[in-house]
Amino acid sequence: MAAEIVNPRSDSSTDQDGGAEPLDSFDPAFALHRGGKMAVQATVPVRDKDDLSLAYTPGVARVCTAIAEQPELVHDYTWKSSVVAVVTDGTAVLGLGDIGPEASLPVMEGKAILFKQFGGVDAVPIALDCTDADEIVETVVRLAPSFGGVNLEDISAPRCFEIERKLQERLDIPVFHDDQHGTAVVTLAALRNAARLSGRGIGELRAVISGAGAAGVAIAKMLVEAGIGDVAVADRKGVVSTGRKDLTPVKRELAEFTNKAGLSGSLEDALAGADVFIGVSGGTVPETAVASMAKGAFVFAMANPNPEVHPDVAHKYAAVVATGRSDFPNQINNVLAFPGIFAGALQVRASRITEGMKIAAAEALAGVVGDDLAADYVIPSPFDERVAPAVTAAVAAAARAEGVARR
């Protein structure tokens, strides 16, 4: 029987045995999570001895022997090509921070069911009890034969960059840190449509990103790849620039390909005259800084649950407003990207997920909006059934075009 979770806010509610009342009784989130949100289900019946002899011994031995002789057959005769490992160390979970591997499991289970619901991809949550980058890499490399791809999740920066890079160097399956690339794909898609709505191209825009962590760095890279006019990134100490002496290696690299205008100073300074604000850091941007942006600006304030700029404030000055919340229009939600990206990569047995595949995903996602484009509709809903098929097809085609597809 599952262990009872005691309500820490009440010492008066008791059950029939005189114990404290479980949280399930008044909080629907706990009720939904009791026992976990997912389970393993067989795809073949085992009804009698004939079924058993095929699903297990002796029939399974013939399949094992064939795979031993021709290793590529593992994709056809096991679940490998349709399953992803969702890997975390619990160090950067949602907005909760470093809460550890056990506490991260509800999120990893949630991620796994989103893979299935929105992309038809099976996923297994794996929470690791280690935080050393090399230990994580070694562990995932040893687990990799069971999986067709690896989705890194909620691993703190800057270790997440190193872990992803080393894993992709050592593995011949896609490795994707969704906190970075999923956020970047959806942001680019929304920005493309916001620019189209205003009659401009991305090359005409100057963007400012608040936050130089995993998401901020990935968004900056993708915007540059997509041809943004200019983009500057600000951390707690101000605009990341080549003139700063306190930069980490990741931020030094970031400074080399961003901020062509040579801006310095604070985030607020950089926002003066900017066309786009992208928030992935939390905190609050002063209304005066938002007011100083260019006419017809776009504000993508994506911190949860409190956007860096509240939509009520943003709408005073911006032509398009997006957040990370589901209760406002234009939600920048990673679920729009990662299920279809992995589905497309697995479909063609891609060896990696390239920048071209991510750009293709963003373009496909933006294209779903089509002629319905409006200020409150620059990005589709996660429940739009056109999303995953469009992203899947675009990613598969890009993988073939870039030579990383193996079928």
Side-chain angles (χ1 to χ4, degrees):
M1 180 179 291
E4 186 177 82
I5 302 175
V6 177
N7 176 7
R9 292 176 289 175
S10 172
D11 55 9
S12 59
S13 297
T14 60
D15 59 23
Q16 292 180 344
D17 298 323
E21 187 175 2
L23 289 172
D24 301 31
S25 63
F26 66 90
D27 189 329
F30 280 90
L32 183 143
H33 284 76
R34 181 174 284 279
K37 301 190 292 292
M38 57 185 294
V40 175
Q41 180 176 335
T43 60
V44 297
V46 184
R47 298 161 298 195
D48 51 37
K49 67 181 182 61
D50 291 334
D51 288 344
L52 182 60
S53 69
L54 290 174
Y56 201 54
T57 185
V60 72
R62 298 199 296 275
V63 180
C64 293
T65 300
I67 294 172
E69 294 172 352
Q70 299 181 62
E72 68 276 8
L73 292 179
V74 69
H75 298 282
D76 298 313
Y77 296 106
T78 72
W79 76 343
K80 182 178 174 73
S81 278
S82 62
V83 67
V84 169
V86 181
V87 178
T88 190
D89 64 356
T91 55
V93 181
L94 300 178
L96 305 174
D98 185 355
I99 60 175
E102 288 87 354
S104 77
L105 268 177
V107 178
M108 300 310 115
E109 287 183 359
K111 196 79 172 190
I113 64 175
L114 295 181
F115 264 109
K116 189 67 173 179
Q117 175 73 23
F118 293 101
V121 175
D122 290 307
V124 177
I126 298 176
L128 302 179
D129 188 16
C130 62
T131 58
D132 179 79
D134 287 333
E135 288 184 4
I136 292 173
V137 170
E138 291 299 329
T139 303
V140 175
V141 166
R142 283 159 174 73
L143 290 169
S146 296
F147 299 99
V150 176
N151 185 90
L152 299 174
E153 188 75 17
D154 292 347
I155 297 174
S156 63
R159 295 173 311 115
C160 58
F161 303 109
E162 177 188 0
I163 291 167
E164 184 187 42
R165 176 180 56 79
K166 288 183 174 180
L167 282 173
Q168 194 61 85
E169 288 172 354
R170 294 184 59 180
L171 298 177
D172 66 346
I173 58 175
V175 178
F176 187 82
H177 185 212
D178 188 52
D179 300 326
Q180 295 181 59
H181 310 302
T183 305
V185 166
V186 183
T187 301
L188 175 59
L191 186 57
R192 281 194 181 282
N193 276 339
R196 179 163 70 93
L197 184 67
S198 70
R200 289 177 286 178
I202 282 186
E204 301 174 62
L205 303 177
R206 178 171 74 83
V208 177
I209 299 172
S210 174
V217 171
I219 292 169
K221 287 182 177 179
M222 184 160 284
L223 293 185
V224 170
E225 186 76 19
I228 191 82
D230 195 11
V231 56
V233 182
D235 62 10
R236 292 183 182 87
K237 297 181 179 180
V239 176
V240 175
S241 65
T242 54
R244 282 178 49 181
K245 306 301 182 185
D246 60 343
L247 300 180
T248 64
V250 171
K251 291 180 183 179
R252 282 199 298 272
E253 179 186 354
L254 181 65
E256 293 296 331
F257 66 85
T258 60
N259 193 17
K260 292 188 293 187
L263 300 176
S264 60
S266 68
L267 169 70
E268 290 81 0
D269 294 332
L271 280 175
D275 302 293
V276 185
F277 168 75
I278 297 171
V280 284
S281 65
T284 301
V285 176
E287 183 172 346
T288 53
V290 181
S292 75
M293 295 178 68
K295 184 178 180 180
F298 313 140
V299 171
F300 293 1
M302 299 187 287
N304 265 319
N306 300 311
E308 294 89 348
V309 182
H310 192 279
D312 292 344
V313 173
H315 278 298
K316 294 181 184 179
Y317 310 101
V320 176
V321 177
T323 72
R325 288 174 43 162
S326 60
D327 54 344
F328 293 110
N330 296 327
Q331 184 190 19
I332 307 295
N333 190 327
N334 288 13
V335 76
L336 289 163
F338 70 81
I341 289 174
F342 268 100
L346 293 174
Q347 185 180 96
V348 297
R349 295 183 189 167
S351 59
R352 62 189 302 112
I353 294 172
T354 66
E355 289 300 314
M357 292 162 71
K358 288 180 276 188
I359 294 288
E363 291 174 348
L365 184 55
V368 170
V369 170
D371 295 335
D372 296 324
L373 180 65
D376 61 355
Y377 184 57
V378 297
I379 198 75
S381 163
F383 296 99
D384 189 323
E385 294 181 355
R386 299 171 296 170
V387 168
V391 173
T392 298
V395 169
R400 291 190 178 102
E402 300 209 340
V404 296
R406 289 175 288 196
R407 74 169 180 186

